[in-house]
Amino acid sequence: MDDCLFCKIVAGEIPADIVHATERTVAFRDINAQAPTHVLVVPRDHYADAAELATADPAASAELVLTAAAVATAEGHDDYRLVFNTGAGAGQSVFHAHLHVLAGRDLTWPPG
Ligand code: DGP
């Protein structure tokens, strides 16, 4: 996708604080962190949201979760929250699938 922010981060065209990378995923710190650890894990290939990714590439979808777990472990967290905002009404603002990894503070339920 020519005009996708996260495609540009994956391609190295826009800088990001990358903390982990695998064959199919890249993980980088969220620019607007909502917790001491707030990392976004994205597939290298472009899919608009989590369901589109899971339909087209289940292996990459699973790798996203495993990368998220590796990031949480690397940052010393046994407890963490994974979030896929899906659709503008649910808070999705970047339409390249991404998994939020949040940890390092009390995470209340339900989320806002
Ligand atoms: P969402 O609202 O679920 O689509 O999450 C998108 C996240 O992307 C949001 O928490 C802020 C983050 N974000 C937006 N622009 C940038 C950027 O240029 N760099 C980084 N690292 N994160 C960004």
Side-chain angles (χ1 to χ4, degrees):
M1 282 277 289
D2 286 348
D3 204 26
C4 170
L5 174 63
F6 289 172
C7 284
K8 289 179 180 169
I9 287 177
V10 168
E13 294 167 8
I14 290 177
D17 185 357
I18 293 173
V19 296
H20 199 88
T22 67
E23 186 184 343
R24 299 181 182 86
T25 72
V26 177
F28 53 89
R29 296 197 190 281
D30 194 297
I31 206 168
N32 184 24
Q34 301 299 313
T37 291
H38 188 172
V39 168
L40 303 173
V41 189
V42 308
R44 291 183 182 274
D45 294 337
H46 183 92
Y47 300 100
D49 58 39
E52 197 176 287
L53 168 67
T55 300
D57 192 346
S61 189
E63 199 164 306
L64 226 59
V65 176
L66 294 174
T67 300
V71 167
T73 298
E75 304 219 347
H77 305 298
D78 293 328
D79 302 328
Y80 54 90
R81 180 169 292 165
L82 303 183
V83 176
F84 283 114
N85 292 326
T86 302
Q92 187 176 7
S93 60
V94 178
F95 289 84
H96 178 129
H98 53 281
L99 180 54
H100 293 259
V101 187
L102 296 146
R105 65 167 170 83
D106 287 339
L107 296 164
T108 58
W109 192 263

